[in-house]
Amino acid sequence: MTAVDDRPTTEIGSARRRKEDQRLITGRTKWTDNIQLQGMQHLAMVRSPFAHAMITAIDTSAAKASPGVVAVLTGDDVKDIQGSLPNAWPITPDQKAPPHPSIAVDRVAFAGEIVAVVVARSARAARDAAELVDVDYDELPAALDLKESADDTVLAHPDLGTNKSAFWQFDSAGAGTGTSVDDAIAAAREGGILIEREYRQQRLIPAFMEPRSFVCDPTGEQLTIWSSTQVPHFVRIFTAATLGIPEGKVRVIAPDVGGGFGGKLQYTPEEVIVVLAARKTGKPCKYTETRSESLLSAHHGRDQWQRLTLAATKDGTVTGLKVDLLADMGAYLGLVTSGVPILGAFMFNAIYKFPAYQFNCTNVFTNKTWTDAYRGAGRPEATFAIERLMDELAAEVGVDPLEIREKNWIKHEEFPFTSVCGLEYDSGNYEAATARAKELFDYDGLRREQQERRDRKDPVQLGIGVSTFTEMCGLAPSRVLGSLSYAAGGWEHAEVRMLPTGKVEVVTGASAHGQGHETAWSQIVADRLGIPFDDIEVLHGDTQVAPRGLDTYGSRSLVVGGQALVMAADRVIEKAKPIAAHMLEASVDDIEFSGGTFKVKGTDNGKAMAEVVWAAFTAHDLPEGTEPTLDAEATFDPSNFSFPHGTHLCATEVDTETGAVKIRSYVSVDDIGNIINPLIVEGQMHGGIVQGIAQALWEEAVYDDQGTLVSGSFVDYTLPTSADTISFVTDNTVSPSTSNDLGAKGVGEAGCIASTPAVVNSIVDAVRPLGINDIQMPCTPERVWRAIQSAGANQADATTGDAQPHFDAGAPNQDAPDTGSTENGAGQ
């Protein structure tokens, strides 16, 4: 655990305890659901039990007569005013997308879609009345299987005539960033190594701590919305655009938000409905979802089939990579649903020097809850696939997985390096991170123990998993996003207000939902301006207080928002210099600023920042033409992404008799550039690692053959607790980013991106001598056991008839049957 230093000599780099934690852990904060307004009414949603059906009739009479009920709204009641929920990322000009109503009018497209809304004087009355709404449905065939849906076997939206929303391709030959992947594959087939694998990214649910909650107050001159959202500025824009309300009449406040992980990067049906209900009744309205509603109808993540073809020479030098992706959109397109797989397109090549690359993605509609951003958004999916594939290449060549990676990765002296996708990786040192991780992990010692277990045919085998990764962070630049047809920019805004008393207010357009912005931003400004840490107040999450901003997602807060803050602070200093020079009777050119004090060069004659601020405020004796304020603001639009990287190593013990998997040790060494607060970084890494491990071992959103979510509670959706994990060893190397003055790279998604392939690689490594080269996630004991039994049966058929698995102490059996993933389980 990082030591806490409450008396730092400099703020940046110090492990400050988080300012915001006092109110959070004592319960003295105000979540959206805590908000109480005079005359407030409560909403309950009536949701479809069917994945696909026509609505033939809705009887609301009993609900309207229920005690405390104010109104019942159906799709027919609002069809002319509710508009259609937006998709901000149409990835192709011909992308197909059905209208996305907040309340279904005549047809439902997934189980959980809203068909009616009850407005009542209490939450209990609303819920009770919702049970009385009688809806008649005419059930339709549902498109549920992703592969079958891609073949248009059953149509999720019959009016579209197809389930294919869009096809998007990147080809390095056509883009001029590399050679032909078809030529590389042909050459490998002729005289090299050609590996083809299919991997399944299961559907996941962003199980944030605080369920979504929304309040709308329609009284007064402005419409005020409180939302547990990551994107208050987006909510304001889309409320205005969707409902035809002047944007200046909409105020959105995101109070303390209990987590998001991309799950609150959305403009939701419920947000629209709360506004519609409030405007209809003329009174404040609130809706807070139950946990089961959250799991059922808040957007899901991942859900892809990945088919990869890797070409290499006989010695393991990669020559080409082809990716064919099927991505499940679910029933509708949310804000960035269609663009999430495209973010991954730029990361399948990862840290490796592929000369040729082709990425083909088909976005497909199904009758399931729609998908959208989930921690990492496209990058974990890509990292998983390429890191699994590099292990397969190592096994084919017969070398250690780290050796094959080192053979193909970008060397530190080659930075800046332009990838086969055309991205410029500005800095990095994969060798240093890997060497440190090996040292902390005792890599060589564990490899020796692994061989000893194999030699003695121990029923509990040791597996060692490797994940070396990079990611594109700081979602921006605006020009790049524009070239990809993204509707918004990637800039961020900040303002520094110098108060007469010497205190500082920092206004940021980045909206926190657990990242520790108030602490990190205070550290940055304290160092920049020489103001005490405790004298800095950070304001965010309110479009009236911070009217300009693009919010928080894609590990962009520090590398984009933090840089805007640096620029604003520097402008404060520049505005203060003429006043300081006037006070010191010196030339502006002779003034230097350090440690909170303006001095005349070569002397001890100086004025503290607080003195200059007061002089500006009083304006009694300012230089001619000088403004009586030092406040400054700045907007930063980066010229490049940032590229954190790291090496994660995982050791697991796999019981070949039961399929049980136990993580024995885990080490991560990440390069996230310069670190503002190591305590916050460590917390982000711990949370991200657990989230990635959970995908590998436990979490999966499962639907039955009728389209009903059967993992709709924490009884069935196995979210891990602290008791399910182990202690991690985390460390950092530093190669500063060159795209911002802080040298920071971003850390929010790193652990989640790297840990999943590290864990799965370790499990497969433990049982690879059986001929197993994949186990579908989550790697539950049953799936691991079935894969082992299947491998044993295959060995029995090929040799003596002994159906027990047999460990070969030598090299893996490269001629063993491919036990790749299928829809029905691992290795089957």
Side-chain angles (χ1 to χ4, degrees), residues 336-540:
V336 295
T337 302
S338 43
V340 168
I342 307 310
L343 286 174
F346 300 96
M347 287 287 101
F348 275 91
N349 53 290
I351 64 174
Y352 307 113
K353 294 183 285 189
F354 282 99
Y357 172 60
Q358 186 183 92
F359 173 89
N360 305 290
C361 178
T362 302
N363 287 349
V364 179
F365 289 116
T366 61
N367 292 118
K368 297 179 181 178
T369 302
W370 77 88
T371 59
D372 210 297
Y374 176 58
R375 197 171 191 171
R379 280 122 345 128
E381 297 92 312
T383 299
F384 176 84
I386 189 60
E387 288 304 287
R388 290 286 295 109
L389 207 56
M390 292 305 286
D391 262 29
E392 296 303 299
L393 178 59
E396 182 70 28
V397 177
V399 299
D400 186 90
L402 278 175
E403 182 179 335
I404 207 71
R405 287 167 169 80
E406 184 174 6
K407 184 180 189 66
N408 287 288
W409 70 34
I410 303 157
K411 306 300 188 290
H412 71 275
E413 64 269 14
E414 295 178 287
F415 287 96
F417 183 90
T418 301
S419 78
V420 72
C421 289
L423 296 181
E424 184 181 276
Y425 297 178
D426 62 328
S427 66
N429 192 328
Y430 310 138
E431 300 98 312
T434 302
R436 180 61 176 155
K438 285 183 67 176
E439 176 189 357
L440 294 171
F441 190 68
D442 188 21
Y443 188 86
D444 295 335
L446 286 170
R447 282 293 183 199
R448 287 192 295 271
E449 181 185 342
Q450 179 186 57
Q451 190 60 49
E452 291 168 1
R453 290 196 185 204
R454 289 180 176 178
D455 290 342
R456 66 174 182 263
K457 298 180 175 57
D458 194 320
V460 178
Q461 286 292 306
L462 181 65
I464 298 170
V466 175
S467 176
T468 50
F469 83 103
T470 190
E471 58 162 323
M472 49 192 283
C473 277
L475 194 59
S478 296
R479 288 183 179 180
V480 174
L481 296 177
S483 72
L484 295 172
S485 302
Y486 183 60
W491 51 266
E492 194 48 81
H493 188 81
E495 182 180 359
V496 176
R497 300 173 181 168
M498 308 302 293
L499 305 181
T501 55
K503 314 296 185 183
V504 176
E505 285 181 343
V506 170
V507 181
T508 175
S511 179
H513 49 281
Q515 292 86 350
H517 288 178
E518 293 175 33
T519 303
W521 273 219
S522 295
Q523 290 179 270
I524 293 169
V525 173
D527 266 9
R528 213 74 182 181
L529 297 182
I531 302 292
F533 174 84
D534 291 326
D535 287 349
I536 299 167
E537 188 77 15
V538 178
L539 308 177
H540 61 87

Side-chain angles (χ1 to χ4, degrees), residues 647-658:
T647 297
H648 288 224
L649 301 174
C650 177
T652 57
E653 293 181 335
V654 178
D655 190 326
T656 61
E657 295 177 343
T658 66

Side-chain angles (χ1 to χ4, degrees), residues 226-241:
W226 290 262
S227 176
S228 57
T229 182
Q230 298 175 220
V231 286
H233 295 92
F234 285 7
V235 171
R236 183 190 194 207
I237 291 167
F238 290 122
T239 297

Side-chain angles (χ1 to χ4, degrees), residues 628-814:
T629 175
L630 298 185
D631 296 355
E633 54 187 305
T635 302
F636 176 60
D637 195 346
S639 60
N640 194 9
F641 300 97
S642 64
F643 298 94
H645 69 83
T647 297
H648 288 224
L649 301 174
C650 177
T652 57
E653 293 181 335
V654 178
D655 190 326
T656 61
E657 295 177 343
T658 66
V661 175
K662 178 182 178 182
I663 297 180
R664 176 164 147 184
S665 61
Y666 195 102
V667 167
S668 70
V669 176
D670 290 86
D671 187 332
I672 59 169
N674 292 332
I675 294 172
I676 305 302
N677 186 316
L679 192 64
I680 291 177
V681 165
E682 188 173 37
Q684 287 277 16
M685 289 306 306
H686 281 201
I689 289 169
V690 171
Q691 219 156 348
I693 291 173
Q695 178 175 6
L697 296 181
W698 299 301
E699 292 186 38
E700 183 176 24
V702 179
Y703 287 83
D704 65 15
D705 57 7
Q706 300 300 308
T708 301
L709 182 69
V710 297
S711 54
S713 75
F714 285 154
V715 173
D716 302 295
Y717 189 81
T718 47
L719 199 71
T721 69
S722 57
D724 299 305
T725 60
I726 64 168
S727 294
F728 313 114
V729 176
T730 62
D731 201 1
N732 300 96
T733 56
V734 177
S735 55
S737 171
T738 62
S739 62
N740 62 84
D741 292 338
L742 293 167
K745 293 184 177 181
V747 69
E749 297 161 304
C752 193
I753 290 171
S755 56
T756 306
V759 174
V760 176
N761 277 341
S762 70
I763 296 168
V764 174
D765 184 59
V767 296
R768 187 177 289 279
L770 299 176
I772 297 170
N773 62 28
D774 189 42
I775 298 173
Q776 185 178 309
M777 296 187 293
C779 299
T780 61
E782 179 184 0
R783 284 182 172 172
V784 175
W785 181 84
R786 287 186 180 278
I788 292 169
Q789 296 307 305
S790 178
N794 290 335
Q795 287 184 358
D797 290 341
T799 55
T800 63
D802 179 5
Q804 296 301 310
H806 170 68
F807 276 89
D808 182 353
N813 176 12
Q814 300 303 326

Side-chain angles (χ1 to χ4, degrees), residues 159-208:
D159 291 349
L160 293 181
T162 180
N163 290 325
K164 298 178 183 67
S165 175
F167 173 79
W168 193 92
Q169 181 185 77
F170 176 87
D171 192 310
S172 61
T177 57
T179 56
S180 166
V181 75
D182 291 334
D183 290 347
I185 290 172
R189 183 174 284 114
E190 185 69 26
I193 296 173
L194 192 65
I195 298 176
E196 298 177 277
R197 293 288 185 271
E198 188 173 52
Y199 299 123
R200 180 74 167 113
Q201 280 281 323
Q202 79 269 40
R203 178 177 280 246
L204 301 176
I205 302 176
F208 28 73

